[in-house]
Amino acid sequence: LLESEVFGYEAGAFTGANKKGKPGKFELANGGTIFLDEISTMPLEMQAKLLRVIQERELERVGGTGTINLDLRLIVATNENLEKQVKKNNFREDLYYRINVIRLNLPPLRERSGDIELLAKSLIKKLAKELDIEEKEISGEAMQKLKSYDWPGNVRELQNFIERALNLAPGKTIYPEHLPDIINNGEIENNKNKNGDLTLKEIVARTEKETIIEAIKRADGNRTEAARDLGIHRTSLYHKIDKYNIKLENV
């Protein structure tokens, strides 16, 4: 199903397929740019097909016999160390070298605190429009709280905090009390003590799991809506649900 979504399929390619067939994401992006997020989660068999698409600049739909020429720009992203994934045989080495042409490393939010104010204001504008509510300002004290937090969940966690504050603040200004308890100094200290024996990777993983559970709850169990809220592909959400062994019946 993932292969048909990405590369498209011909009529009658599988049970339930559209009788007219369907173009995939690559075909739709022809002449433009396609962005593949969480590339590290792509199954090995699909990695082989993607490599052929990149090498030959053409694709074959699922169930098809002809090829479609492609002319597009490919951008991929991942939060995993692909070199380590290659050594573990979880990611094809030949594909890694084909996509690693121009590499951009985006530092975690805790290493670029100067971006927090700009991001927070941008998120307020974006979320206020989505929620159909009035935009609000952030008090100086609340902004300082945001800047002093270490952000294990990066920008997605910041977005979660801002959305919460917009819903909780009754007036036109967001104050510290409208931010999650974890961001207050006392709570942060308690959290550090509680996480004292955990590595940063384990803390980030736990935060990600909690964020996913919260998103699914907000979406009333609708995983497509939860994935959209989290800013990730639905397939990536399924992968993370399996990775963290999240029992949906308990969410």
Side-chain angles (χ1 to χ4, degrees):
L1 289 175
L2 178 59
E3 187 175 344
S4 67
E5 181 76 15
V6 175
F7 301 115
Y9 61 85
E10 294 290 355
F14 52 86
T15 303
N18 189 303
K19 293 181 179 180
K20 296 181 180 180
K22 182 182 178 183
K25 302 303 183 188
F26 271 88
E27 211 173 324
L28 294 171
N30 205 1
T33 301
I34 187 168
F35 172 60
L36 301 179
D37 198 6
E38 304 290 358
I39 188 70
S40 60
T41 65
M42 180 175 282
L44 288 169
E45 58 271 19
M46 271 195 64
Q47 291 179 28
K49 188 158 186 176
L50 175 60
L51 178 63
R52 178 174 180 262
V53 169
I54 297 173
Q55 286 285 126
E56 306 299 330
R57 297 187 181 184
E58 62 182 25
L59 66 80
E60 185 177 301
R61 286 184 176 185
V62 175
T65 55
T67 58
I68 299 169
N69 293 325
L70 294 174
D71 179 17
L72 51 76
R73 178 189 294 109
L74 173 66
I75 301 173
V76 302
T78 179
N79 65 350
E80 297 281 350
N81 185 316
L82 285 185
E83 289 91 343
K84 290 183 179 179
Q85 294 301 313
V86 168
K87 290 178 181 178
K88 293 178 180 178
N89 295 319
N90 292 330
F91 200 85
R92 291 181 62 109
E93 186 176 21
D94 47 6
L95 176 58
Y96 169 70
Y97 288 121
R98 283 302 286 121
I99 62 176
N100 191 27
V101 179
I102 299 175
R103 180 170 178 166
L104 300 175
N105 291 315
L106 184 64
L109 191 55
R110 65 179 175 277
E111 294 180 11
R112 46 192 177 100
S113 58
D115 291 351
I116 291 175
E117 185 169 354
L118 290 172
L119 286 168
K121 290 179 178 179
S122 176
L123 286 169
I124 287 175
K125 187 179 292 292
K126 171 179 175 287
L127 291 170
K129 184 177 180 181
E130 289 179 1
L131 298 170
D132 195 24
I133 59 176
E134 186 180 5
E135 290 183 27
K136 299 179 182 182
E137 296 181 349
I138 302 181
S139 70
E141 188 178 359
M143 183 61 71
Q144 192 55 45
K145 295 279 188 182
L146 294 177
K147 289 181 177 180
S148 63
Y149 185 58
D150 62 358
W151 300 108
N154 287 301
V155 178
R156 287 171 186 161
E157 187 177 20
L158 175 60
Q159 177 171 329
N160 178 274
F161 283 13
I162 294 297
E163 184 173 357
R164 171 195 170 102
L166 284 173
N167 282 292
L168 290 182
K172 295 183 178 181
T173 305
I174 295 171
Y175 294 104
E177 58 264 31
H178 303 133
L179 299 172
D181 291 339
I182 194 174
I183 210 166
N184 295 315
N185 290 334
E187 291 294 331
I188 291 174
E189 192 61 39
N190 290 338
N191 193 55
K192 285 180 179 177
N193 293 335
K194 183 174 65 177
N195 295 329
D197 296 330
L198 299 178
T199 65
L200 178 60
K201 185 175 181 180
E202 289 170 333
I203 295 171
V204 170
R206 187 170 70 181
T207 302
E208 186 174 45
K209 179 179 179 180
E210 292 172 352
T211 303
I212 288 170
I213 291 173
E214 188 174 332
I216 295 173
K217 284 181 178 178
R218 285 201 306 271
D220 293 326
N222 187 317
R223 282 163 282 184
T224 300
E225 185 178 332
R228 190 183 304 117
D229 184 39
L230 291 167
I232 62 176
H233 193 275
R234 184 179 57 194
T235 306
S236 296
L237 177 61
Y238 290 152
H239 173 76
K240 292 179 185 296
I241 289 172
D242 290 338
K243 177 182 177 181
Y244 296 124
N245 194 28
I246 298 173
K247 304 298 183 184
L248 296 178
E249 62 270 17
N250 297 328
V251 173

PDB file of all heavy atoms in Angstrom, residues 30-49:
ATOM      1  N   ASN A  30       6.172  15.442 -10.536  1.00  0.00           N
ATOM      2  CA  ASN A  30       7.003  15.552 -11.735  1.00  0.00           C
ATOM      3  C   ASN A  30       7.075  17.005 -12.215  1.00  0.00           C
ATOM      4  O   ASN A  30       6.057  17.681 -12.342  1.00  0.00           O
ATOM      5  CB  ASN A  30       6.437  14.667 -12.855  1.00  0.00           C
ATOM      6  CG  ASN A  30       7.506  14.250 -13.844  1.00  0.00           C
ATOM      7  OD1 ASN A  30       8.679  14.595 -13.708  1.00  0.00           O
ATOM      8  ND2 ASN A  30       7.103  13.501 -14.856  1.00  0.00           N
ATOM      9  N   GLY A  31       8.308  17.478 -12.435  1.00  0.00           N
ATOM     10  CA  GLY A  31       8.503  18.861 -12.828  1.00  0.00           C
ATOM     11  C   GLY A  31       8.666  19.796 -11.652  1.00  0.00           C
ATOM     12  O   GLY A  31       8.874  21.003 -11.824  1.00  0.00           O
ATOM     13  N   GLY A  32       8.598  19.257 -10.441  1.00  0.00           N
ATOM     14  CA  GLY A  32       8.714  20.096  -9.241  1.00  0.00           C
ATOM     15  C   GLY A  32       9.619  19.459  -8.205  1.00  0.00           C
ATOM     16  O   GLY A  32      10.679  18.931  -8.523  1.00  0.00           O
ATOM     17  N   THR A  33       9.170  19.480  -6.944  1.00  0.00           N
ATOM     18  CA  THR A  33       9.968  18.975  -5.825  1.00  0.00           C
ATOM     19  C   THR A  33       9.132  18.020  -4.986  1.00  0.00           C
ATOM     20  O   THR A  33       7.955  18.269  -4.751  1.00  0.00           O
ATOM     21  CB  THR A  33      10.442  20.142  -4.922  1.00  0.00           C
ATOM     22  OG1 THR A  33      11.226  21.045  -5.700  1.00  0.00           O
ATOM     23  CG2 THR A  33      11.282  19.635  -3.754  1.00  0.00           C
ATOM     24  N   ILE A  34       9.733  16.928  -4.536  1.00  0.00           N
ATOM     25  CA  ILE A  34       9.070  16.008  -3.622  1.00  0.00           C
ATOM     26  C   ILE A  34       9.892  15.908  -2.348  1.00  0.00           C
ATOM     27  O   ILE A  34      11.132  15.858  -2.390  1.00  0.00           O
ATOM     28  CB  ILE A  34       8.861  14.610  -4.254  1.00  0.00           C
ATOM     29  CG1 ILE A  34       8.016  13.735  -3.324  1.00  0.00           C
ATOM     30  CG2 ILE A  34      10.184  13.943  -4.596  1.00  0.00           C
ATOM     31  CD1 ILE A  34       7.525  12.452  -3.979  1.00  0.00           C
ATOM     32  N   PHE A  35       9.210  15.926  -1.208  1.00  0.00           N
ATOM     33  CA  PHE A  35       9.877  15.851   0.100  1.00  0.00           C
ATOM     34  C   PHE A  35       9.449  14.574   0.803  1.00  0.00           C
ATOM     35  O   PHE A  35       8.254  14.344   1.001  1.00  0.00           O
ATOM     36  CB  PHE A  35       9.491  17.071   0.941  1.00  0.00           C
ATOM     37  CG  PHE A  35       9.976  17.003   2.366  1.00  0.00           C
ATOM     38  CD1 PHE A  35      11.329  16.915   2.660  1.00  0.00           C
ATOM     39  CD2 PHE A  35       9.071  17.041   3.419  1.00  0.00           C
ATOM     40  CE1 PHE A  35      11.769  16.848   3.969  1.00  0.00           C
ATOM     41  CE2 PHE A  35       9.501  16.979   4.737  1.00  0.00           C
ATOM     42  CZ  PHE A  35      10.859  16.883   5.008  1.00  0.00           C
ATOM     43  N   LEU A  36      10.405  13.719   1.130  1.00  0.00           N
ATOM     44  CA  LEU A  36      10.134  12.479   1.849  1.00  0.00           C
ATOM     45  C   LEU A  36      10.656  12.619   3.283  1.00  0.00           C
ATOM     46  O   LEU A  36      11.866  12.654   3.519  1.00  0.00           O
ATOM     47  CB  LEU A  36      10.815  11.293   1.164  1.00  0.00           C
ATOM     48  CG  LEU A  36      10.424  11.017  -0.295  1.00  0.00           C
ATOM     49  CD1 LEU A  36      11.207   9.822  -0.826  1.00  0.00           C
ATOM     50  CD2 LEU A  36       8.931  10.766  -0.418  1.00  0.00           C
ATOM     51  N   ASP A  37       9.748  12.700   4.233  1.00  0.00           N
ATOM     52  CA  ASP A  37      10.126  12.820   5.637  1.00  0.00           C
ATOM     53  C   ASP A  37      10.339  11.429   6.235  1.00  0.00           C
ATOM     54  O   ASP A  37       9.777  10.444   5.751  1.00  0.00           O
ATOM     55  CB  ASP A  37       9.040  13.566   6.404  1.00  0.00           C
ATOM     56  CG  ASP A  37       9.533  14.116   7.733  1.00  0.00           C
ATOM     57  OD1 ASP A  37      10.748  14.008   8.012  1.00  0.00           O
ATOM     58  OD2 ASP A  37       8.711  14.667   8.482  1.00  0.00           O
ATOM     59  N   GLU A  38      11.146  11.354   7.295  1.00  0.00           N
ATOM     60  CA  GLU A  38      11.416  10.090   7.994  1.00  0.00           C
ATOM     61  C   GLU A  38      11.868   9.002   7.020  1.00  0.00           C
ATOM     62  O   GLU A  38      11.360   7.878   7.043  1.00  0.00           O
ATOM     63  CB  GLU A  38      10.164   9.637   8.770  1.00  0.00           C
ATOM     64  CG  GLU A  38       9.616  10.650   9.747  1.00  0.00           C
ATOM     65  CD  GLU A  38      10.506  10.865  10.963  1.00  0.00           C
ATOM     66  OE1 GLU A  38      11.545  10.191  11.079  1.00  0.00           O
ATOM     67  OE2 GLU A  38      10.162  11.721  11.793  1.00  0.00           O
ATOM     68  N   ILE A  39      12.829   9.332   6.154  1.00  0.00           N
ATOM     69  CA  ILE A  39      13.296   8.397   5.132  1.00  0.00           C
ATOM     70  C   ILE A  39      13.854   7.117   5.747  1.00  0.00           C
ATOM     71  O   ILE A  39      13.823   6.049   5.131  1.00  0.00           O
ATOM     72  CB  ILE A  39      14.369   9.078   4.236  1.00  0.00           C
ATOM     73  CG1 ILE A  39      14.742   8.209   3.035  1.00  0.00           C
ATOM     74  CG2 ILE A  39      15.605   9.433   5.041  1.00  0.00           C
ATOM     75  CD1 ILE A  39      13.670   8.087   2.015  1.00  0.00           C
ATOM     76  N   SER A  40      14.329   7.204   6.987  1.00  0.00           N
ATOM     77  CA  SER A  40      14.937   6.035   7.638  1.00  0.00           C
ATOM     78  C   SER A  40      13.919   4.933   7.913  1.00  0.00           C
ATOM     79  O   SER A  40      14.290   3.781   8.145  1.00  0.00           O
ATOM     80  CB  SER A  40      15.611   6.443   8.949  1.00  0.00           C
ATOM     81  OG  SER A  40      14.666   7.010   9.843  1.00  0.00           O
ATOM     82  N   THR A  41      12.624   5.268   7.918  1.00  0.00           N
ATOM     83  CA  THR A  41      11.591   4.267   8.205  1.00  0.00           C
ATOM     84  C   THR A  41      11.122   3.537   6.949  1.00  0.00           C
ATOM     85  O   THR A  41      10.283   2.641   7.038  1.00  0.00           O
ATOM     86  CB  THR A  41      10.367   4.920   8.881  1.00  0.00           C
ATOM     87  OG1 THR A  41       9.751   5.829   7.954  1.00  0.00           O
ATOM     88  CG2 THR A  41      10.769   5.677  10.134  1.00  0.00           C
ATOM     89  N   MET A  42      11.652   3.913   5.793  1.00  0.00           N
ATOM     90  CA  MET A  42      11.221   3.273   4.547  1.00  0.00           C
ATOM     91  C   MET A  42      11.685   1.823   4.510  1.00  0.00           C
ATOM     92  O   MET A  42      12.854   1.532   4.737  1.00  0.00           O
ATOM     93  CB  MET A  42      11.782   4.034   3.343  1.00  0.00           C
ATOM     94  CG  MET A  42      11.394   3.432   1.999  1.00  0.00           C
ATOM     95  SD  MET A  42      11.945   4.425   0.584  1.00  0.00           S
ATOM     96  CE  MET A  42      10.702   5.725   0.595  1.00  0.00           C
ATOM     97  N   PRO A  43      10.787   0.873   4.218  1.00  0.00           N
ATOM     98  CA  PRO A  43      11.170  -0.542   4.141  1.00  0.00           C
ATOM     99  C   PRO A  43      12.270  -0.768   3.099  1.00  0.00           C
ATOM    100  O   PRO A  43      12.343  -0.060   2.094  1.00  0.00           O
ATOM    101  CB  PRO A  43       9.869  -1.237   3.726  1.00  0.00           C
ATOM    102  CG  PRO A  43       8.781  -0.291   4.125  1.00  0.00           C
ATOM    103  CD  PRO A  43       9.350   1.076   3.963  1.00  0.00           C
ATOM    104  N   LEU A  44      13.119  -1.780   3.335  1.00  0.00           N
ATOM    105  CA  LEU A  44      14.253  -2.047   2.461  1.00  0.00           C
ATOM    106  C   LEU A  44      13.832  -2.305   1.018  1.00  0.00           C
ATOM    107  O   LEU A  44      14.510  -1.877   0.079  1.00  0.00           O
ATOM    108  CB  LEU A  44      15.066  -3.233   2.999  1.00  0.00           C
ATOM    109  CG  LEU A  44      15.891  -2.944   4.261  1.00  0.00           C
ATOM    110  CD1 LEU A  44      16.437  -4.233   4.843  1.00  0.00           C
ATOM    111  CD2 LEU A  44      17.030  -1.985   3.940  1.00  0.00           C
ATOM    112  N   GLU A  45      12.711  -3.029   0.824  1.00  0.00           N
ATOM    113  CA  GLU A  45      12.293  -3.326  -0.549  1.00  0.00           C
ATOM    114  C   GLU A  45      11.892  -2.059  -1.297  1.00  0.00           C
ATOM    115  O   GLU A  45      12.101  -1.928  -2.501  1.00  0.00           O
ATOM    116  CB  GLU A  45      11.144  -4.339  -0.561  1.00  0.00           C
ATOM    117  CG  GLU A  45       9.889  -3.942   0.197  1.00  0.00           C
ATOM    118  CD  GLU A  45       9.913  -4.370   1.667  1.00  0.00           C
ATOM    119  OE1 GLU A  45      11.016  -4.635   2.188  1.00  0.00           O
ATOM    120  OE2 GLU A  45       8.831  -4.445   2.259  1.00  0.00           O
ATOM    121  N   MET A  46      11.336  -1.086  -0.554  1.00  0.00           N
ATOM    122  CA  MET A  46      10.987   0.179  -1.189  1.00  0.00           C
ATOM    123  C   MET A  46      12.219   1.033  -1.428  1.00  0.00           C
ATOM    124  O   MET A  46      12.281   1.820  -2.368  1.00  0.00           O
ATOM    125  CB  MET A  46       9.976   0.943  -0.335  1.00  0.00           C
ATOM    126  CG  MET A  46       8.542   0.590  -0.653  1.00  0.00           C
ATOM    127  SD  MET A  46       7.389   1.794   0.033  1.00  0.00           S
ATOM    128  CE  MET A  46       7.833   3.262  -0.875  1.00  0.00           C
ATOM    129  N   GLN A  47      13.230   0.873  -0.557  1.00  0.00           N
ATOM    130  CA  GLN A  47      14.484   1.590  -0.756  1.00  0.00           C
ATOM    131  C   GLN A  47      15.114   1.211  -2.088  1.00  0.00           C
ATOM    132  O   GLN A  47      15.666   2.055  -2.794  1.00  0.00           O
ATOM    133  CB  GLN A  47      15.451   1.297   0.390  1.00  0.00           C
ATOM    134  CG  GLN A  47      15.050   1.881   1.726  1.00  0.00           C
ATOM    135  CD  GLN A  47      16.042   1.540   2.819  1.00  0.00           C
ATOM    136  OE1 GLN A  47      17.222   1.326   2.561  1.00  0.00           O
ATOM    137  NE2 GLN A  47      15.572   1.477   4.053  1.00  0.00           N
ATOM    138  N   ALA A  48      15.013  -0.081  -2.445  1.00  0.00           N
ATOM    139  CA  ALA A  48      15.570  -0.551  -3.714  1.00  0.00           C
ATOM    140  C   ALA A  48      14.861   0.116  -4.884  1.00  0.00           C
ATOM    141  O   ALA A  48      15.497   0.528  -5.869  1.00  0.00           O
ATOM    142  CB  ALA A  48      15.449  -2.070  -3.804  1.00  0.00           C
ATOM    143  N   LYS A  49      13.538   0.234  -4.788  1.00  0.00           N
ATOM    144  CA  LYS A  49      12.779   0.851  -5.872  1.00  0.00           C
ATOM    145  C   LYS A  49      13.069   2.341  -5.950  1.00  0.00           C
ATOM    146  O   LYS A  49      13.168   2.911  -7.045  1.00  0.00           O
ATOM    147  CB  LYS A  49      11.287   0.605  -5.669  1.00  0.00           C
ATOM    148  CG  LYS A  49      10.446   1.042  -6.857  1.00  0.00           C
ATOM    149  CD  LYS A  49       9.107   0.346  -6.902  1.00  0.00           C
ATOM    150  CE  LYS A  49       8.347   0.704  -8.179  1.00  0.00           C
ATOM    151  NZ  LYS A  49       7.079  -0.036  -8.297  1.00  0.00           N
TER     152      LYS A  49
END
